[in-house]
Amino acid sequence: MSDATGPDTFDGPTPDNALRQAKKTSGPMLAADGTPLKKSLSRALRRQKMRALMLIAPLLLFVLVTFIAPIADMLFRSVENQIVSETLPLTTEELGNWDGQGMPPEAAFEAAYYDIFLAAERKQHTRLGTRLNYELTGASSLFRKSGRGLDDIGEVYQDQFEDLDENWDEALPWLELMGDPDWLAEQQEWAADEDGRQPRFELRDGIEEILPTTAREFAAFARFQQVEDQKNLLEEEPWSAVHTALYTDLAAGDMSSYSGPRADMLQAADALVASPEFETVSFLDGFEEIDEDWMEPPIWQTIKLYSPNYTSGYFLNSVDMQLTPEGAEARPDNERIYMLLFKRTLFMSMVITFSCILLGYPVAYILSNLPMRSANLLMILVLLPFWTSLLVRTSAWKVMLQQQGVINDVLVWIGLVADDSRLTMINNQFGTIVAMTHILLPFMILPMYSVMSTIPPSYVRAAKSLGATNWTTFWRVYFPQSIPGIGAGSILVFILSIGYYITPEIVGGTTGTFISNRIAYHISSSLNWGLAAALGTILLAVVLILYWAYDRIVGIDNVKLG
Amino acid sequence: MKLTKTLMASTALTVAAGAVAAQDMADSMTLVSWGGAYQASQDNAYAKPYAEMHPEVSIAWDESSNEAVAKLRAMNEAGNITWDLVDVVAADAMRLCDEGLAMEYDPDDLLAEAPDGTSAEDDFGDMIVSDCFIPQIVYSTTVGYRTDLVGDTAPTDICAIFDLEAYPGKRSLEKRPINNMEWALYCDGVAKDEIYDVLETPEGQDQALAKLDTIKDNVVWWSAGADTPQLLADGEVVMGSTYNGRLFSVIEEQDQPVGMLWDMQVFDLDGWIIPTGLPEDRLARVKDFVKFATDTQRLADQAKYISYGPARQSSAPLVGQHEELGIDMAPHMPTDPENAANTLLYNYEFWADYRDDIDAKFQAWLAQ
């Protein structure tokens, strides 16, 4: 046995030599191969960690992709609100300069005309209507009507230009006027056999200065036809929004100096617009024609209020408040419901947890103290409900508890209750608590049982032999050791019941429903997923806070599942 | 010679075209419906005859109409539509259409003409309440009552629901504002054609809720169509609202002591929608099926199995007898002139706008 400080016996890289070397140079301790020991150790450790990570990687990935990501995506909807600014880009920009008082300027109507026209072509205006209808009643039909009605404005101009010159309703003259000549040549080449990709439409140089609105609208039209509808641009006559834009540009500018393609056509149109016979419609009148609601501030205020990409509106809604131009505000009394439901859900979940403890504790105690054979038999009885459909169990409670049900019949038969004053035990809180306690009971009994069966019976015998009464033995010796089981069972039952949905729906009536019933309604019926996500996020936060509090008070280390 | 050639060529072309058309159609289809007796009636009247004509097609049913709107939206977001044809109520069809989840169609192009040559658009008439909705049946929400629990004078009008003196006991109503608010206002003295004008205003909504408040303690609220028939059969309630087909089955098929009111029945429509974004071969198959399944005879056939009225005018005279019971079905149709003396039509536009708002108030009122 050689000591590192002893005389040399071997040359070469032995651990002893390495240590000696390290001492001599008083530098970092080196591994056998000469690298610093620290580095070499951490490298080995890192490799080990990587290997472990690789082993769990499939599971980690699976959980991330199928569990965390969808939940995060769903919860993210509670603040998402891009739909307004994406569908109405010009309008939201225009309304950004408006102070929100009275009516917005006419420019906002003009922007809304172009936005909604395009949205209607893409069939997105009704989606936006549905979205805004959550905030302002009537928005749904307003947008549906407007999608149809806006054509009336544009057709006034379209018809007049067409009467002047048929070319205004043809695809090619428009393309010559608006499009880049090189692009047009490419497009015509492509159109010959429609093979490959359609060349992307390009505006002609300088046209944007002469006809700014028309250029914008024509480009939007071209993009829609080419990209979304996959149509050959050479065969599509422009829609009426382009004619409207042309009128706006001609009314604002003078075309006499224009000398590009189709100059005579444009100048004739300019002359027509300048002539007193030319019929015009103001955007204001056009919108008023569609629906009077456009003439009231609320719809404009709502659009302005919800134009940011992210909104706190859903969260405010889920705590019975609402977003108004003046800031967050409580909802009127007759529309408040969510806070009530949150409180009720928490309260009833606690009641259910406590009734599960009360009923489950003796059962678990008996189970753990019986001989194996009979304990197993009883265990099957506890597990039996797990093998029955949840709906069957819940419906069975209906049969038991309803006014013409088994319990009431028995009570009337015994004479405890008069026939005309049968007890109401279902479609209320009582019914929900009873049915859910029954359904969740196994989740309480099983952890309790597994903890209790590990408590050595000798402790109880020792306590008794030292003179403790039965009660003292139980309370001072047995019960403290069973607490981890109660803790585990309570967490399971409480968290399960807080998100329970089907049982309260069936037996809860109106006073026994939970917040999850409203979440389900918004997911499947009203399609207000943003609000559902906000409610779900709050529920998740409440559970996490309670879990944290539970950890502080009881200590999560004290929880045992077995 | 030349003629023969032309004939032969055109025959070959037609054959080829036919073969291509058959190849272009998918050979499986997933139909979505409500399950139960209603789905069975569709299966018997449409799907089975179609499968006999096209043995190569396999038809699968999915009983998801209840949550069809949410599921379609989720499928659309995931970019994977697994359904080919979905049965929904008209209000949901409208919602799906607004959301861009249902396909808009041209009635004259997609649907078959009536036997007398009337165009599909005219034959269905007002039933096409949305550009995406392919109507099938007219059903109604109405009230059934226990004949043995209402005393000597059986109720004859809808306001019996609110008459606790004449008809004491519990009644069951649907756990949503639609229909209940209309009935409440009607029974509170609002003229029938003014109901929606009143219901538009906050005061009108309060008025309806106040009327419902008078019976609130005696109402069992239902959310599934099977609830009221069960509650009636158990004697839990004296009367309750449900779909007329459910009452027909309780009365005629199960022979329970139940009677029904046709007064102020609320007409509603149920029909198909085709999801947007189907691949071409599946779309071609669905279109072929829909043309068959909504023709005059098929819609009339459905009434053999369930007491819902066909949505085509031309089908009404063809409604025959119940397949098993052998009773005449015409008098059990909600659209029968005797039954339709006093009716209300579900106001789709109104509820599309006001559903969120009034539902919030209604639920807040319920929870109090």
Side-chain angles (χ1 to χ4, degrees):
Chain A
M1 293 277 137
S2 70
D3 187 289
T5 51
D8 249 351
T9 37
F10 298 102
D11 285 336
T14 64
D16 283 352
N17 285 350
L19 279 179
R20 247 179 250 121
Q21 184 73 21
K23 206 168 241 175
K24 231 182 276 168
T25 56
S26 77
M29 204 177 276
L30 295 180
D33 58 355
T35 50
L37 186 63
K38 219 176 178 178
K39 214 167 143 195
S40 148
L41 252 176
S42 69
R43 192 191 299 149
L45 270 177
R46 201 179 325 130
R47 209 177 299 136
Q48 240 173 20
K49 268 188 200 153
M50 284 304 285
R51 212 178 299 146
L53 198 68
M54 296 280 277
L55 273 177
I56 64 153
L59 177 70
L60 194 70
L61 223 70
F62 179 79
V63 169
L64 268 178
V65 170
T66 63
F67 190 67
I68 308 279
I71 289 182
D73 176 68
M74 198 67 213
L75 294 185
F76 191 58
R77 285 164 199 264
S78 56
V79 289
E80 247 178 346
N81 190 46
Q82 281 99 334
I83 181 167
V84 183
S85 55
E86 272 171 16
T87 322
L88 305 176
L90 303 171
T91 317
T92 45
E93 201 185 312
E94 201 59 58
L95 289 181
N97 309 323
W98 172 52
D99 61 357
Q101 300 300 313
M103 288 300 292
E106 174 144 17
F109 283 86
E110 185 179 345
Y113 165 77
Y114 292 120
D115 280 340
I116 299 175
F117 190 94
L118 184 63
E121 291 294 335
R122 303 159 88 172
K123 303 199 183 353
Q124 283 177 345
H125 63 303
T126 45
R127 276 184 74 180
L128 179 66
T130 314
R131 163 70 186 95
L132 290 178
N133 203 58
Y134 298 136
E135 317 300 341
L136 180 74
T137 301
S140 174
S141 67
L142 186 61
F143 275 83
R144 207 176 305 123
K145 267 190 231 164
S146 307
R148 284 187 223 124
L150 283 181
D151 283 340
D152 294 348
I153 301 181
E155 272 163 14
V156 171
Y157 302 111
Q158 194 176 15
D159 291 347
Q160 292 182 86
F161 286 128
E162 225 181 284
D163 290 345
L164 175 73
D165 186 343
E166 294 240 320
N167 279 332
W168 284 120
D169 199 35
E170 298 291 330
L172 190 62
W174 269 105
L175 291 176
E176 283 170 2
L177 177 65
M178 308 302 297
D180 185 62
D182 295 341
W183 166 83
L184 190 58
E186 269 180 64
Q187 174 82 9
Q188 276 160 336
E189 202 175 298
W190 171 86
D193 51 0
E194 298 214 1
D195 192 31
R197 273 187 57 174
Q198 194 172 165
R200 205 38 156 342
F201 173 78
E202 281 167 45
L203 280 169
R204 191 155 57 84
D205 282 342
I207 193 72
E208 273 172 282
E209 280 88 68
I210 307 165
L211 303 168
T213 324
T214 320
R216 187 190 70 208
E217 286 310 305
F218 195 82
F221 159 77
R223 191 167 53 242
F224 175 81
Q225 296 295 351
Q226 285 194 317
V227 180
E228 289 175 44
D229 259 18
Q230 309 272 333
K231 295 267 176 61
N232 180 359
L233 213 46
L234 290 166
E235 289 166 9
E236 298 303 315
E237 302 92 42
W239 54 45
S240 60
V242 177
H243 296 93
T244 312
L246 180 69
Y247 156 72
T248 341
D249 285 339
L250 292 181
D254 180 32
M255 297 300 137
S256 52
S257 57
Y258 175 78
S259 59
R262 298 279 169 181
D264 45 341
M265 186 172 139
L266 191 65
Q267 274 148 7
D270 195 23
L272 175 73
V273 169
S275 76
E277 288 98 73
F278 193 75
E279 190 194 339
T280 61
V281 205
S282 78
F283 291 106
L284 262 154
D285 293 343
F287 273 92
E288 190 173 7
E289 185 79 8
I290 293 165
D291 199 305
E292 296 272 324
D293 283 354
W294 284 114
M295 295 297 117
E296 307 281 335
I299 179 69
W300 298 102
Q301 284 165 349
T302 310
I303 294 176
K304 184 181 163 71
L305 212 49
Y306 286 90
S307 35
N309 282 344
Y310 298 96
T311 179
S312 58
Y314 290 124
F315 274 103
L316 289 175
N317 275 354
S318 50
V319 291
D320 292 332
M321 295 173 81
Q322 59 190 344
L323 206 57
T324 65
E326 286 83 39
E329 205 171 81
R331 277 189 180 273
D333 270 341
N334 63 351
E335 287 172 31
R336 286 185 207 169
I337 177 167
Y338 298 115
M339 287 315 278
L340 176 77
L341 284 179
F342 274 120
K343 281 185 218 151
R344 184 194 285 168
T345 306
L346 289 180
F347 169 74
M348 285 178 63
S349 298
M350 282 181 197
V351 172
I352 290 162
T353 310
F354 279 115
S355 14
C356 279
I357 296 176
L358 284 182
L359 292 175
Y361 197 89
V363 178
Y365 180 83
I366 292 171
L367 272 175
S368 59
N369 285 300
L370 276 180
M372 210 50 166
R373 267 179 70 97
S374 25
N376 277 346
L377 189 73
L378 274 181
M379 199 62 183
I380 289 178
L381 290 182
V382 171
L383 290 175
L384 200 60
F386 270 136
W387 302 328
T388 328
S389 150
L390 178 66
L391 279 173
V392 172
R393 274 182 283 162
T394 310
S395 306
W397 277 112
K398 242 174 151 172
V399 177
M400 293 290 286
L401 294 178
Q402 63 184 8
Q403 286 196 302
Q404 306 294 325
V406 177
I407 294 179
N408 263 314
D409 280 349
V410 170
L411 289 179
V412 169
W413 181 67
I414 303 175
L416 275 176
V417 169
D419 199 13
D420 53 355
S421 59
R422 288 169 174 249
L423 303 174
T424 318
M425 292 184 291
I426 201 157
N427 296 323
N428 52 21
Q429 287 198 1
F430 182 79
T432 308
I433 290 171
V434 170
M436 281 187 58
T437 304
H438 168 237
I439 285 162
L440 295 175
L441 202 52
F443 293 97
M444 183 63 88
I445 294 178
L446 291 178
M448 278 183 175
Y449 166 71
S450 61
V451 167
M452 284 181 187
S453 52
T454 60
I455 301 176
S458 47
Y459 288 7
V460 174
R461 284 202 292 273
K464 279 190 182 157
S465 72
L466 289 173
T469 60
N470 280 345
W471 170 248
T472 320
T473 318
F474 170 74
W475 187 242
R476 304 281 298 276
V477 177
Y478 193 88
F479 183 74
Q481 299 188 76
S482 66
I483 282 181
I486 300 180
S490 304
I491 283 199
L492 270 179
V493 170
F494 184 78
I495 290 179
L496 277 176
S497 70
I498 216 170
Y500 231 70
Y501 146 71
I502 191 74
T503 306
E505 183 69 31
I506 296 177
V507 298
T510 57
T511 53
T513 46
F514 283 13
I515 189 72
S516 24
N517 297 96
R518 278 324 273 169
I519 297 181
Y521 168 80
H522 285 304
I523 287 282
S524 65
S525 219
S526 79
L527 278 197
N528 194 349
W529 287 8
L531 182 55
L535 291 170
T537 310
I538 293 180
L539 192 60
L540 183 66
V542 168
V543 171
L544 288 179
I545 289 171
L546 284 175
Y547 185 78
W548 173 79
Y550 186 89
D551 185 31
R552 293 297 298 271
I553 298 165
V554 181
I556 215 67
D557 301 337
N558 281 333
V559 168
K560 263 194 217 150
L561 284 165
Chain B
M1 183 64 198
K2 206 181 165 197
L3 183 71
T4 333
K5 247 189 191 165
T6 329
L7 268 179
M8 274 173 67
S10 62
T11 320
L13 263 179
T14 343
V15 169
V20 169
Q23 260 174 16
D24 283 351
M25 286 194 204
D27 52 10
S28 69
M29 223 179 1
T30 306
L31 309 180
V32 182
S33 187
W34 302 89
Y38 182 63
Q39 185 178 308
S41 75
Q42 291 175 314
D43 196 26
N44 285 325
Y46 319 148
K48 281 183 183 157
Y50 186 80
E52 263 171 43
M53 289 161 52
H54 303 271
E56 76 279 8
V57 183
S58 65
I59 298 177
W61 288 94
D62 186 336
E63 304 181 359
S64 296
S65 283
N66 235 341
E67 60 264 24
V69 183
K71 281 195 173 174
L72 266 177
R73 192 194 220 186
M75 281 184 195
N76 185 278
E77 285 191 4
N80 180 21
I81 310 279
T82 57
W83 292 344
D84 296 297
L85 192 60
V86 187
D87 188 288
V88 287
V89 293
D92 282 346
M94 240 171 135
R95 199 162 270 243
L96 287 166
C97 209
D98 281 357
E99 289 271 325
L101 298 169
M103 193 185 84
E104 289 181 12
Y105 74 100
D106 172 12
D108 289 336
D109 181 39
L110 182 71
L111 308 177
E113 289 180 348
D116 62 359
T118 315
S119 74
E121 183 154 16
D122 292 338
D123 201 18
F124 280 104
D126 299 341
M127 305 285 177
I128 302 175
V129 292
S130 148
D131 296 335
C132 306
F133 181 64
I134 309 165
Q136 262 179 88
I137 55 142
V138 180
Y139 69 97
S140 75
T141 307
T142 183
V143 170
Y145 57 88
R146 280 284 291 226
T147 46
D148 53 343
L149 294 178
V150 291
D152 301 331
T153 48
T156 52
D157 74 316
I158 192 77
C159 296
I161 301 177
F162 298 95
D163 192 348
L164 284 173
E165 273 177 35
Y167 306 104
K170 298 245 176 194
R171 40 271 277 143
S172 61
L173 293 174
E174 189 170 5
K175 204 183 198 169
R176 63 171 196 177
I178 302 170
N179 297 349
N180 295 330
M181 302 290 268
E182 286 101 324
W183 285 335
L185 285 181
Y186 177 73
C187 294
D188 207 29
V190 176
K192 207 168 92 178
D193 49 0
E194 281 167 20
I195 287 179
Y196 289 105
D197 295 335
V198 175
L199 203 51
E200 238 173 49
T201 62
E203 296 77 34
Q205 293 156 13
D206 290 343
Q207 186 189 349
L209 288 178
K211 182 70 179 174
L212 285 167
D213 219 33
T214 58
I215 55 166
K216 191 180 179 186
D217 295 337
N218 288 291
V219 177
V220 178
W221 300 95
W222 61 267
S223 44
D227 288 347
T228 293
Q230 178 254 323
L231 292 168
L232 281 172
D234 288 356
E236 274 290 292
V237 295
V238 181
M239 58 181 80
S241 68
T242 186
Y243 312 128
N244 71 295
R246 301 271 186 179
L247 285 172
F248 172 82
S249 125
V250 171
I251 297 168
E252 300 293 342
E253 290 169 8
Q254 295 160 28
D255 228 3
Q256 298 283 338
V258 172
M260 71 189 285
L261 289 178
W262 289 107
D263 185 49
M264 273 301 268
Q265 53 166 326
V266 184
F267 280 149
D268 197 351
L269 304 168
D270 189 271
W272 301 112
I273 60 103
I274 302 174
T276 41
L278 287 185
E280 268 178 36
D281 58 334
R282 279 167 61 194
L283 185 61
R285 173 61 69 198
V286 168
K287 282 183 168 174
D288 191 54
F289 175 77
V290 165
K291 190 161 208 156
F292 171 78
T294 55
D295 71 12
T296 302
Q297 186 59 46
R298 249 41 66 184
L299 287 188
D301 283 351
Q302 195 184 357
K304 278 193 221 163
Y305 306 97
I306 200 149
S307 66
Y308 294 129
R312 288 186 95 117
Q313 280 160 16
S314 61
S315 298
L318 300 179
V319 170
Q321 291 182 333
H322 192 273
E323 185 73 4
E324 282 155 30
L325 301 176
I327 45 178
D328 251 344
M329 289 303 280
H332 295 281
M333 294 288 136
T335 41
D336 190 72
E338 289 235 329
N339 301 335
N342 185 23
T343 64
L344 196 69
L345 180 64
Y346 186 116
N347 192 331
Y348 301 101
E349 288 267 328
F350 176 86
W351 282 114
D353 277 348
Y354 286 85
R355 183 153 116 166
D356 301 315
D357 182 36
I358 297 186
D359 191 75
K361 287 184 182 157
F362 183 77
Q363 297 295 342
W365 169 78
L366 271 186
Q368 275 158 21

